[in-house]
Amino acid sequence: MESHPYSYGTKLTGLILHLFFTVVLTIAVFLLASMLSKNIFELSDVGTEQFLDSGYYTKCIEKKCDDLSDYLRLLIKGESRTSEENRRYLQYTNEFKSGDSNFCYWYRIGEAWYTNQPDTKEGQEFDVEAVLMEAKTMGNYLIYDLVDKEFGTDINGMADYFFGGGNQMLWPADDMTLIIGIDTELSAEDDIYEASREYEQLHPWIKVCTFSGLVSLMGWVLSLVYLTLATGHRDGEEGVHLNFVDRIKTEIVTAVFIAATSELIMLLSHVNNKTWNVSGLLVASGTVILLIDVLFLIFYLSMVRRMKAEMLWETSVACWLERGIRKVFARQKTTVRVLLLFAGHMAVCFILAVHFTIGA
C-alpha cells in the first residue's frame, strides 16, 4: 500500500514517533541529572573510561581531604570537643580507620604527627622522604609541605583544590606537612571503593544518554515539524479539516491547557521530591512527561489548524463578544450609540484613574 505524506497511517506514525522521542528524551535527561547530582557526570569525563582518571575520583579525594582536615582539627582539640564534635570525631575515626581505608595519610604539625598507618609507631622520626616513597608505592600520592615549601601530586585537579578555591584555609598555613597515599588497587571496601563501583555502573550511561538525548531531541523537533505541516490535511482532499476540539473557544482551550499542564508540572515536582529508586523515578516522571506532551500536542495542533483555516480569531470568545457588541450597536439609534460610547469612555477613564491613584 502506498504511503502518502498526509495519510492517516503516516500521521499516526509521526504521532507515535513524537511520543516515543519524548519518552527517550525524558529518560536520558533524568539519568544525566541523577549522575550530575552525584557529581558523576563531568564534561571532562565523556571520553574517560577509568574511575581513577575521572573528575569524579578527584571529587571523592577532595571530599576525603575536607573530612581529614575536620578530623585532625577535632583530634588535636582533644577533650574540649563538644558533643556534636565528638559525634563527628567518632564518624571520622571509623572512616579513616587503618586497614579499612584505601586513603592513607601522614600529617605533621610542629613536632607532633598523626597517621592511620599501623606500621608507624608513635615517637618514630617523621622522615618525609621515606613516607613520600611509601605513599607513591600505593599508586596515587600527594604532598603538601609548608615547611620545605613543596607540593606534588599525580591526582588530577588537586592543585586547584589546595590553591584555587580557598580550600587551603582548611589546613594551617604554618609548619605542617601533609602526605597522602591512595591504594589504587582499592583493596579495602571503603567509600572510595563504593564510588568506583558506582562510577563503573553509571559512567557508561553518560555516552548512551548524551547520544540518545541529542538524537531524540532532533527526532522530537522533526516529528513536531511534520505534524505541524500535516495536521488539518487529508490525503487527496482540499481544505483544512477541523475536529471538535477546534470548535471550542480559543480562550477556553488555552485556559484548560495551562491549568492542566500546571497541575502536571506540580505533580512532576512532587514526584521528584519523593525517595524513589532510579527505575521508579523514570517510570513516574516519564508517565507525567508523556501526559504533558499529549496535552501539548492537542493544544498546539488545534491552534495550528485554526490558523491554517484562518479561524483563530473567529473561534475566540473575544470575537464572539465583539460581534455581539456590534449587533447591539447596529440595532440602536445614533443618540444611544453616542451615549454608550461616552459611558464606555468614562468607565475606562475611571478605571485608569483608580489604577494610577492606587499605584501612587
Side-chain angles (χ1 to χ4, degrees):
M1 181 182 295
E2 185 178 357
S3 178
H4 297 282
Y6 299 144
S7 66
Y8 176 80
T10 307
K11 287 191 286 187
L12 180 61
T13 301
L15 178 62
I16 293 173
L17 284 174
H18 183 83
L19 296 176
F20 170 76
F21 288 131
T22 298
V23 172
V24 174
L25 182 60
T26 300
I27 292 174
V29 169
F30 272 90
L31 283 177
L32 286 175
S34 176
M35 288 183 277
L36 185 62
S37 67
K38 296 179 179 180
N39 290 321
I40 293 179
F41 179 56
E42 298 276 344
L43 290 178
S44 59
D45 290 348
V46 172
T48 304
E49 299 297 335
Q50 299 298 322
F51 167 68
L52 296 174
D53 299 326
S54 69
Y56 183 47
Y57 173 64
T58 304
K59 295 288 185 185
C60 292
I61 302 306
E62 289 177 357
K63 176 63 168 56
K64 296 291 286 187
C65 287
D66 288 345
D67 291 348
L68 178 62
S69 175
D70 194 26
Y71 171 58
L72 291 171
R73 182 181 66 82
L74 296 176
L75 179 63
I76 295 170
K77 193 172 184 180
E79 297 299 325
S80 61
R81 293 187 295 264
T82 65
S83 58
E84 171 60 25
E85 288 175 336
N86 273 323
R87 185 192 65 79
R88 295 207 316 273
Y89 174 73
L90 292 175
Q91 178 183 344
Y92 291 142
T93 300
N94 183 67
E95 177 181 348
F96 294 107
K97 187 166 54 178
S98 62
D100 293 334
S101 177
N102 295 301
F103 185 91
C104 306
Y105 71 88
W106 295 262
Y107 176 72
R108 179 181 65 180
I109 178 167
E111 297 300 322
W113 55 266
Y114 308 88
T115 181
N116 65 344
Q117 291 307 287
D119 59 344
T120 306
K121 300 186 182 338
E122 191 168 343
Q124 179 178 335
E125 183 180 354
F126 193 96
D127 187 341
V128 174
E129 292 300 325
V131 170
L132 181 58
M133 184 62 66
E134 182 178 352
K136 288 183 177 181
T137 60
M138 293 180 177
N140 282 151
Y141 79 96
L142 180 145
I143 178 171
Y144 181 56
D145 189 349
L146 292 175
V147 177
D148 295 329
K149 304 299 184 291
E150 179 183 359
F151 178 86
T153 183
D154 58 357
I155 307 172
N156 293 330
M158 291 306 294
D160 293 334
Y161 168 80
F162 279 93
F163 304 112
N167 291 303
Q168 67 272 18
M169 298 304 296
L170 295 171
W171 303 93
D174 48 23
D175 56 342
M176 60 81 67
T177 301
L178 172 69
I179 298 177
I180 292 172
I182 300 166
D183 179 8
T184 53
E185 296 295 326
L186 302 179
S187 54
E189 296 185 3
D190 62 352
D191 49 355
I192 299 179
Y193 170 81
E194 293 299 329
S196 72
R197 293 285 302 274
E198 187 176 43
Y199 184 86
E200 290 168 1
Q201 291 174 359
L202 294 179
H203 182 263
W205 287 96
I206 293 179
K207 290 182 179 179
V208 175
C209 290
T210 303
F211 176 77
S212 59
L214 291 174
V215 171
S216 58
L217 179 60
M218 289 188 292
W220 191 91
V221 172
L222 290 175
S223 60
L224 184 62
V225 170
Y226 168 76
L227 292 172
T228 302
L229 296 174
T231 189
H233 296 294
R234 294 181 182 176
D235 188 44
E237 298 183 17
E238 296 293 332
V240 178
H241 296 268
L242 304 177
N243 57 38
F244 76 96
V245 176
D246 306 328
R247 304 186 188 283
I248 302 174
K249 298 302 181 185
T250 304
E251 292 86 347
I252 296 176
V253 173
T254 303
V256 170
F257 168 72
I258 293 174
T261 303
S262 299
E263 289 294 326
L264 287 172
I265 290 175
M266 291 177 62
L267 178 60
L268 181 63
S269 176
H270 183 68
V271 165
N272 290 334
N273 288 332
K274 292 289 185 181
T275 302
W276 301 74
N277 55 33
V278 175
S279 58
L281 180 64
L282 289 177
V283 171
S285 301
T287 302
V288 177
I289 290 293
L290 190 61
L291 290 175
I292 292 175
D293 193 48
V294 170
L295 284 175
F296 166 74
L297 286 177
I298 293 173
F299 169 76
Y300 171 75
L301 295 179
S302 176
M303 295 299 110
V304 171
R305 289 190 295 270
R306 294 172 197 234
M307 286 188 284
K308 285 183 177 182
E310 298 182 350
M311 292 181 60
L312 185 63
W313 169 249
E314 284 75 5
T315 56
S316 67
V317 174
C319 178
W320 177 75
L321 288 174
E322 187 264 343
R323 288 176 177 175
I325 292 172
R326 281 180 180 275
K327 288 181 181 179
V328 171
F329 266 74
R331 294 171 184 170
Q332 305 300 322
K333 295 180 180 180
T334 303
T335 305
V336 177
R337 295 179 192 175
V338 172
L339 289 174
L340 288 174
L341 287 173
F342 178 74
H345 173 73
M346 292 301 296
V348 171
C349 290
F350 176 76
I351 293 172
L352 291 175
V354 171
H355 172 73
F356 285 113
T357 301
I358 295 175

